[in-house]
Amino acid sequence: MDERKASLGLTRRLHSGRSAEEALKGVDLNCNVEALIENPLNHLTPEQLQRDVRAFTREKGLDEYAELLERGAQIAKDPQFFEAISGVTDREKQALRNERSRRFRQPRALYLTIVICSIGAAVQGWDQTGSNGAVRHFSARSQPGFGSRQNLNWPQDFGLDTNRKSNDFWILGLVNAAPYLAASVIGCWLSHPLNHYLGRRGVIFVAAWFCFFSVLGSACTQTWVQLFICRLLLGVGMGTKASTIPVLAAESSPASIRGSLVMGWQLWVAFGIFLGFSANLVLYQLGDLAWRLQLGSAVIPAIPLIIGIYFCPESPRWYIKKHRYDDAFKSLRRLRNTPLQAARDLYYIHAQVRLEELMLGDGDITMSEGKPQYSSSGRYANRFVQLFTIARVRRATLAASVVMIAQQMCGINIMAFYSSTLFTDANASERSALLVSWGFGLINFVFALPAVRSIDRFGRRNLLLFTFPHMAWTLLAAGFCFYIPSDSPAHLGMITLFVYLFAAFYSPGEGPVPFTYSAEAFPLFHREVGMSLAVSINLFWAGVLTVVYPKMSDALTPTGAIGFFAGLNIIAFLMIFLWVPETKQRTLEELDYIFAVPTSKHMHYQVAKVLPYSFKRYILRRDVELEPLYKFPSTL
C-alpha cells in the first residue's frame, strides 16, 4: 500500500530521519492528478508523531495538554483504530463511536452557535421580503389606484407614479434593488478586513447593528432618497453577514454533519422570507402605516442576534489563523463532546493548515530564514488575486461562483421579489396574490427541511443535479399555463400549482447548497475573501434581477420571461455537472485535495465515466458500477 501511495507522487514516504515538514514539500495541492485524498499524518511513524506533537505543544504554549494532544494526534492519524489506542477511556470511545452512529449528538455550544446563525439567516430573509410589497406596484400600473394599495402606500407617500413619470419606474427598481447592490459592492468586501480584525463573532455583531438601525430608519423615512440610503445601509449589513455566518457555522461544525448544520443558513433565510410574507399578509390593510410597519418589523430577529452572538464560541480556525492556539483549543472543547475530540481536531487542523501555508504560499505567517514572520495585515489584494492565480483556489472560486450564480439563473428570485406581481398578472385579487405568495414562502421553508439530512448523505452535487431538471420543467409548465383562458378557474390554479412544485424542488437543492458549498470550498487563508466574492456574485445578480425583470416581463410577456429562466436552469445544470466537485463528509482541510484535482480531469471523468454509467444504469437498467474519481488511502 505504501509503495502504491509513493508512486502516485502526491506524498513522499517518511523515513525515520525525515521530518514531517520535509515530507510536506512533496505534496502538490495545485495538481492532484491522481485524485488521492491524503491524511497528512498518515506516513508518520509513532516516534515522529510524538516528536512533532511535543514540538507543537512547546511552540504553542500547550504543554499542560501534551499527553491529551498526543492521544488526539494518534486518533487523527489512524481514526479507524481508536479502540486500540492506549489511554482512551470508555466514555471517549463511545463519543468517537457516536460520530458515526449518532452524528447529531453534539454539545449545546455547537447547537447554540447554529441557532444564532439561524437567527441571522432569518433576519436576512425577512429583510429581503421588504421589497416584495413594493414591487407589486409593477403589475398594477394600468389600474389607477390599485398600485398604491399593492405597494403598501410608500410610492404614493413619496409622490411616485409610474403611470405618469417614466423615471419613477427606475426609482422604484433602484430602491428595491439597493440592498442587493450595496451588499455586493460594499458589504461583501468589508467582510474580509472586518473578519481579520474582529473575528467571525465581531463581524456578525456589527452587521446585526446595521440591519437593526437601517430597518428602523426605513420605517421613519420621509422621502424616497432617505429610504434608498437606509436600504443601502441595510445592504452593507446583509452582505457582511451573508459572507460570515455560513463560514462561522462551517468552521465550527464536525465534518460528518457540516452540510446539515451550515445549510441552516438557507433554511432559516427561507423561514425569514415566510415571516416577511406573513407580515405582508397581516399588515396590508392597515393603511398608510402598513409599509412602515412591514419594513420596521425586521428588527424583531435582529435583537436576539445582537445579544446572542457573544454567547457563542469564536471559530477555532480563526484562532488558529491568528496563532492563538490556546484560545482555539478552548473553543474546540466547547464545540466537541470530549476534550480528546477537541485535541484530535486541533492537531489535525494544524497539520493541514501548515500544509496550506507551505503549498499555497499565503497566510498570516511566512517563513524567513527558518523563523516564522507574522503578518499584521490581511494582505487583502494579494489574496483576491490568488483566487484566480493559484490553481487549487481558482477551482474553488469557479465551483463556488457556479453554484452562487445558478441560484439567480434558476428563477427563484422571480418569486421571492415578484411573486405578487406574477400572481396579479394571473388575474389574482390583491388578497389572493398575498395568500398565494404566503403559500410560496411556506413551501420554500417546509421543503428545505429534508435537506438537513440529505445534504450530507446524498451530497451537495447530487442534490443540484437531481433538482435542476425538475425546476426547468416546472417553470416551463407555469409559463405555458398563462395561455389558459384568464376567466377559467384553472388559470390561476395551474400557475400556482407549478410555481409551488418549482419551489418544492428548489428548496432541498439549489436553496441550501450555494452558501454551504461556498463556505467550505476555500482554504482557510482565502476563506473570507473567497466567500466575499461568491456572495457578491449572488447578491449582485439578485439586484440586477430586481431592476430588470419588470421590463423583461413587459417585453417577453410572463410566459416568455418564465420560459427564459427555464432555459437557464438547463445551462446551470450543465455548468454544475462539469465544474462542481462533491464536498460531502470531508473535513475543510481535506477539501484541499478535492480541489487539487485538475478541472480537465474532473470534466473528463464526468463525460467519459459518469455519462456512460448513468445511461447504462438508469436508461438500460443494467447492473453496473461507477469507478470512483477520488482515491482514499484505505482503498489503495
Side-chain angles (χ1 to χ4, degrees), residues 290-330:
W291 68 268
R292 297 184 184 275
L293 294 174
Q294 198 279 331
L295 291 177
S297 63
V299 302
I300 296 172
I303 295 171
L305 178 63
I306 292 169
I307 296 173
I309 187 60
Y310 274 103
F311 290 96
C312 302
E314 179 58 90
S315 164
R317 286 174 170 87
W318 184 82
Y319 280 134
I320 289 175
K321 180 182 175 183
K322 296 299 179 184
H323 310 284
R324 295 166 57 180
Y325 278 81
D326 187 49
D327 289 328
F329 191 38
K330 291 177 182 176

Side-chain angles (χ1 to χ4, degrees), residues 49-94:
L49 183 64
Q50 184 181 56
R51 183 185 64 213
D52 284 358
V53 173
R54 289 178 177 174
F56 167 74
T57 56
R58 286 195 300 271
E59 179 186 351
K60 307 302 181 185
L62 299 172
D63 294 295
E64 61 181 303
Y65 307 114
E67 182 180 347
L68 181 62
L69 284 164
E70 284 184 26
R71 284 188 286 129
Q74 291 177 48
I75 295 173
K77 177 180 181 296
D78 296 306
Q80 304 298 323
F81 304 104
F82 65 86
E83 303 272 6
I85 296 175
S86 61
V88 180
T89 67
D90 291 340
R91 177 177 175 273
E92 291 169 337
K93 290 179 180 178
Q94 185 58 51

Side-chain angles (χ1 to χ4, degrees), residues 212-221 226-227 230:
F212 180 87
F213 284 116
S214 62
V215 294
L216 281 182
S218 297
C220 300
T221 52
Q226 294 174 1
L227 180 60
C230 287

Side-chain angles (χ1 to χ4, degrees), residues 346-418:
L346 179 72
Y347 193 74
Y348 189 74
I349 295 169
H350 162 74
Q352 287 281 15
V353 168
R354 181 175 57 175
L355 187 151
E356 286 182 11
E357 290 172 342
L358 291 173
M359 294 301 103
L360 302 181
D362 192 58
D364 287 341
I365 179 175
T366 54
M367 302 302 294
S368 177
E369 299 179 355
K371 297 181 180 180
Q373 302 291 325
Y374 299 99
S375 170
S376 60
S377 68
R379 295 197 281 178
Y380 194 6
N382 187 39
R383 286 180 184 165
F384 178 80
V385 172
Q386 289 175 342
L387 292 178
F388 308 97
T389 58
I390 295 179
R392 179 265 181 260
V393 187
R394 183 172 63 247
R395 296 182 193 110
T397 301
L398 173 63
S401 299
V402 166
V403 296
M404 281 295 199
I405 199 170
Q407 192 173 70
Q408 302 306 326
M409 293 172 68
C410 77
I412 187 63
N413 282 331
I414 296 175
M415 313 304 167
F417 302 157
Y418 292 98

Side-chain angles (χ1 to χ4, degrees), residues 443-455:
I443 287 177
N444 191 26
F445 171 67
V446 170
F447 279 84
L449 292 171
V452 171
R453 290 189 176 272
S454 63
I455 196 170

